[in-house]
Amino acid sequence: PRPLLTGHSCPSCQLFLSGEQNMLAEKVDQMMEWSSRRSVIRMNGDKFRRFVKAPPRNYSVIVMFTALQPQRQCSVCRQANEEYQVLANSWRYSSAFSNKLFFTVVDYDEGADVFQQLNMNSAPTFMHFPSKGKPKRADTFDLQRIGFASEQLAKWIADRTDVQIRVFRPPNYSGTIALALLVSLVGGLLYLRRNNLEFIYNKTGWAMAALCVVFAMTSGQMWNHIRGPPYAHKNPQNGQVSYIHGSSQAQFVAESHIILLLNAAISMGMVLLNEAASSKGDVGKRRIICLVGLGLVVFFFSFLLSIFRSKYHGYPYR
Amino acid sequence: MAEHHTAPDYKHKASSNAAGALSGNGRAGSSGGSGGLSGGLTQPAGWQSLLSFTILFLAWLAGFSSRLFAVIRFESIIHEFDPWFNYRSTHHLTTNGFYEFLNWFDERAWYPLGRIVGGTVYPGLMLTAGLIHYVLNLLNVTVHIRDVCVFLAPVFSGLTSISTFLLTRELWNQGAGLLAACFIAIVPGYISRSVAGSFDNEGIAIFALQFTYYLWVKSVKTGSVFWAIACCLSYFYMVSAWGGYVFIINLIPLHVFVLLLMQRFSRRLYIAYSTFYIVGLVLSMQIPFVGFQPIRTSEHMAAAGVFALLQAYAFLQYLKDRLTRQEFQTLFFLGVSLAAGVVFFTVIYLTYTGEPYHHLYAKIHIPIIASVSEHQPTTWVSFFFDLHILVCTFPAGLWFCIKNINDERVFVALYAISAVYFAGVMVRLMLTLTPVVCMLSAIAFSNVFEHYLGDDMKREKPPAEDSSDEDDKRNSGNLYDKAGKVRKHVSDIVTMLMLMLLMMFAVHCTWVTSNAYSSPSVVLASYNHDGSRNILDDFREAYYWLRQNTDEHARVMSWWDYGYQIAGMANRTTLVDNNTWNNSHIALVGKAMSSNESAAYEIMKSLDVDYVLIIFGGVIGYSGDDINKFLWMVRIAEGEHPKDIRESDYFTPQGEFRVDKAGSPTLLNCLMYKMSYYRFGEMQLDFRTPPGFDRTRNAEIGNKDIRLKHLEEAFTSEHWLVRIYRVKKEDNRQGLDHKPRNLSQKQKYISKKLMGGKCAPRGAWLAWRRGAL
């Protein structure tokens, strides 16, 4: 809209300076107004060029380039956006909030030209536009290595702009609400069935629940939960799918499920062996139960051992 | 060759012992099971106890001897890192006496801060070793305190197996108890923390844990104050030995709580828990390191809450007898709403003060905690590696326990579930899972053996029918009437296969112990192609050099992993050590290691460093060296000094960590790199590789021409594993030209804690000293 003036060709320097100052004040006012409405300012191509790229500026701008439209199917963008919102809100409502730093976002579908202009071909990307000069290499946030947790972003911003942001996460009530719902559901169920509470005293049910916990833990589901491994590995060359991880330091989700089943089968075998001997019933039937139990124990244990052997190199026994 | 001879012999001995014990056990199991039935008719009671004693003794022996691999291969030596500190303090205890030990201020650690040792350790381990040493010397058996320390954990493993036997006997029967004792004697999950030479808290703490649980179960069963007090004393020992006592103080209240929910409240329970809580609380507060934590921190609150609940419940029970139904209901309603209100406000208060969450947050986010490999979740492989067949069979034991539930089996079920959860979260806590796995597997196996092994004996002599005692009803009828029904050969096959499984377990345990858990890590061994062995004794060589050739008060800077070893073996002052209590001090050392030489010199000067010690594995291909740990140093330094150290500077633009020519220039010029590879560029290890080829990282180093300005090489061990550098004193001052001098204050590199005022006099002293220089 407003043509860019270059310093040397201006007819009257005095006029230019005051014009520039007016323009700066105008820009800052505009930015402040936007950011008072929403903590993250949405920008399109024109706004971006006017408020972020073009001098004069005395404020730093953090820009998230992203693609949030559902048809883009960028799940990382959504997660990154949430973290970014947390950070921007922490800044917006902190006591140190000032007109030195603004958080903005450019969506690919609203400002594709910006992406082309900056030669950008991946989203999300975080960039810092300093108040003076052009962005340097370190002004692009290293997403691959550090991740996009708001704490990391805050650290990066503190590094680039000297603005310390203390990240304040809104407490997550969803867990509490889910728990309350569950408790009330269980309570309601108990109340409805208050005449017939025997199922609480059902030992089999409790034993099953306990065993489920045990099997989940011994097959390494907690590891899966913390590390988030892939379900299985598909070899890109020949398309072969391997369910067992080759190293003893890691595992796939599928693998842990297999182990869970094997452990459960062995335990069931032991229980069956015991049942066969202690129950009163037909001799032939008990013998079959006994043999089935024994088979379960021996077969699945040797299977388990062979999987272990394939993972733990140098293990001498089979 | 001598070693070659002993090891297989050894293995044979251990496994045959175990197998013998196990097969003997089956018989004992059946007789134990029928003990109540047969009374004195079929077997004299003497045989039973003789058999039990023999089996327990053999289990002790097997457990003890399978922990000796390291002693036989190397020598009687303290392992790893933490044990060196424990050894050093035990030594201090035996030479200076108990009170000196309690008041010990160690000025040789954490220079210049020092460390109050007496108030920051669990003293149980040192006192136990010191006491044994004292008693032995009193009997004129002269042993060195080092030998007491080395063999303490194997001896205690025998006590552990006895207390496991006692506990399992309370839970199930004698046969299962003996089986459990044999399992825990040789299971790798426990051996990993109790081999000879690993002189660490866990070695005695597992005994204390099991014994406390036994006494607790006993006191719940009998309801006598005697057993409850004994339980408290054992708990006191546990508190003095290991921070894991928190597990007990949460599990026992949980047990009581669940029993209340199951409406199994009884006077016995009331007596046991009330006694345990009060006396245990008072006793646990006697340990200086624990102090007032039991009434302040959140992890002890459950015990207090359950105590209050139990009193309220007992009071209500009492009122119930006195009041009419109507009055009681009103009172009950009032009481419940009052209690709910109190709990509600307490929770709100705790949430707003936020103390527990803060604690948790720190645990997750501080890199120094994340950097310790023990604090990782557990894969199924490590479960199987440490427990082998037990991990698959203990759910069956849990099933039997829940199916035949009673007061103490509730306890073991809760124990199993909580322990398995914690073991899943953290590899290290596999240790607390191991005993319960042994007990439950023993129950599963003993059940099977009871049914299939005792058959022929039963057929010959059907025992008299007088099943009056024993809480387990299951063995009243069906135990012997099936004898003729299930054919004999089926039960033979079952027995044979089960014994084979147990044999495999014994073999596995021996192999794992021998290969994975028996290296002292102070002395390394490598094997040639023909099977002969090289001992790499570089660590001790270097520490001994320090001890002999440096000033007694020299200060040695190294990464914190080696702090305890330097203090223990070289007897020199260290800046940081494995007791990582001061993160900013460690960050300062990390910063010195990752800065360039002149910046590092400033830091080292301000910390009065005389020598720098690093571990370098590039010559022999040792992967645990400082360059491989280097990124953690950078991360920890960055956490405290984000302006000066940036992790991204140490990566190539592609985000790789490389030491060759493509590596980042910051890395190639930092102090750690320079010290590691100083003069390494001149060294050709092999004709196939260029000079300066790092075997650990398989790369030719990028900076071969390393010159040091402020440091000089003082010592490099035989295989270059340990390198020690001397920090040069400052040169004489340059002649001043006559410009007015600029007397601006330089930045001081003093750690935060020191500035914080807690140690103000020492800080002031340091500043004064610096001023004097």
Side-chain angles (χ1 to χ4, degrees), chain A residues 204 227 255 267 273-274 315, chain B residues 376 380 392 403 451-452 508:
Chain A
T204 318
R227 291 292 158 81
E255 179 184 345
S267 296
L273 271 179
N274 190 57
Y315 186 70
Chain B
Q376 309 290 339
W380 76 266
C392 330
K403 284 298 235 183
H451 290 134
Y452 291 93
H508 172 90

Side-chain angles (χ1 to χ4, degrees), chain A residues 152-215:
Chain A
Q152 296 292 345
L153 277 167
K155 219 168 117 190
W156 170 65
I157 290 168
D159 187 36
R160 301 311 308 168
T161 64
D162 288 323
V163 176
Q164 303 282 350
I165 304 177
R166 194 159 160 264
V167 176
F168 176 77
R169 284 179 188 275
N172 194 352
Y173 292 115
S174 62
T176 324
I177 290 171
L179 193 73
L181 265 179
L182 193 75
V183 167
S184 56
L185 207 69
V186 171
L189 204 71
L190 288 185
Y191 185 74
L192 286 180
R193 295 193 55 179
R194 65 187 177 280
N195 300 323
N196 185 13
L197 283 176
E198 266 116 51
F199 70 98
I200 298 181
Y201 301 106
N202 184 358
K203 286 172 192 164
T204 318
W206 286 106
M208 286 296 231
L211 289 202
C212 285
V213 175
V214 168
F215 288 133

Side-chain angles (χ1 to χ4, degrees), chain B residues 498-544:
Chain B
M498 285 295 145
L499 282 182
M500 257 177 70
L501 285 181
L502 291 183
M503 216 106 88
M504 280 163 73
F505 170 68
V507 171
H508 172 90
C509 289
T510 321
W511 182 80
V512 169
T513 310
S514 151
N515 284 283
Y517 293 136
S518 291
S519 84
S521 88
V522 176
V523 184
L524 306 173
S526 71
Y527 293 90
N528 296 338
H529 295 299
D530 57 348
S532 63
R533 201 165 55 121
N534 282 333
I535 298 247
L536 310 179
D537 211 357
D538 285 36
F539 288 104
R540 287 197 295 174
E541 183 192 345
Y543 294 136
Y544 204 64

